[in-house]
Amino acid sequence: THNHEVVSFFLDAPGIEHCVVQRLHIEQQRYNLSIEQSTTLGNLIDRNHVQLRELYLHLPLGEEAQVLLFGLANAINLQELSFHNTDSSHNAKAVLIAGGIDPLIQLLQNPQNQLKKLGLVNLGLQDQHVIAISELLPTCQIELFDFSKNTIQSAGMMEFVRH
């Protein structure tokens, strides 16, 4: 069975809305999730915001990724987040970041958030995104960042480090 078939089976399974999840790792190289699957996954993340500790999404991300991001806003017990776009085309990154990172900012602004590791890889992040994140560093517990394969310039990274 191919990986995308396993992911589809999981996300399309009856009763998935009642699933309790502490760790969720989804790696898929070539197949985008459908809008319905992204909505299911975003809802699963949102419903499990109390239990969910580790979330690794290594997927080819497009506009459906915004649905996933909205599920993150309340995931205050999340300790590790790796959001990695496996589609290296410029269009995929532009579509993803055009929707903004507001749900992630909302999570980081919550004083109860427990995030220790944050990976935002190949998402098309630019200076303004890491600067927005850097402004929240004094109140965050994050110990490890991975912003690799983004379009962050030295000015944005210097501002990030300054905080």
Side-chain angles (χ1 to χ4, degrees), residues 1-13 26-34 37 59:
T1 304
H2 295 290
N3 193 24
H4 73 280
E5 293 171 345
V6 173
V7 172
S8 294
F9 179 79
F10 172 70
L11 292 175
D12 297 336
I26 298 178
E27 293 190 40
Q28 195 161 285
Q29 294 300 316
R30 295 185 304 246
Y31 299 96
N32 288 46
L33 297 178
S34 68
Q37 290 173 329
L59 306 164

Side-chain angles (χ1 to χ4, degrees), residues 15 17 23 28 37 67 72 75 83 89 99 121 126 136 145:
E17 64 275 1
R23 290 186 183 115
Q28 195 161 285
Q37 290 173 329
V67 177
L72 291 175
F83 208 55
S89 75
V121 178
Q126 299 173 348
L136 302 170
F145 291 94

Side-chain angles (χ1 to χ4, degrees), residues 17 20 24 39 80 95 163:
E17 64 275 1
V20 176
L24 184 58
T39 301
E80 297 183 28
V95 166
H163 283 95

Side-chain angles (χ1 to χ4, degrees), residues 8 15 19 39 48 58 67 69 72-73 84 87 113 120 129-130 132 134 137 141-142 146 150 156:
S8 294
C19 187
T39 301
N48 283 279
H58 294 216
V67 177
L69 276 174
L72 291 175
H84 184 143
D87 183 347
N113 99 70
L120 302 173
H129 302 113
V130 294
S134 75
L137 290 180
Q141 302 176 37
I142 300 177
D146 183 358
N150 285 293

Side-chain angles (χ1 to χ4, degrees), residues 95-108:
V95 166
L96 175 64
I97 214 59
I101 58 170
D102 291 344
L104 179 61
I105 296 296
Q106 184 178 340
L107 171 64
L108 295 176

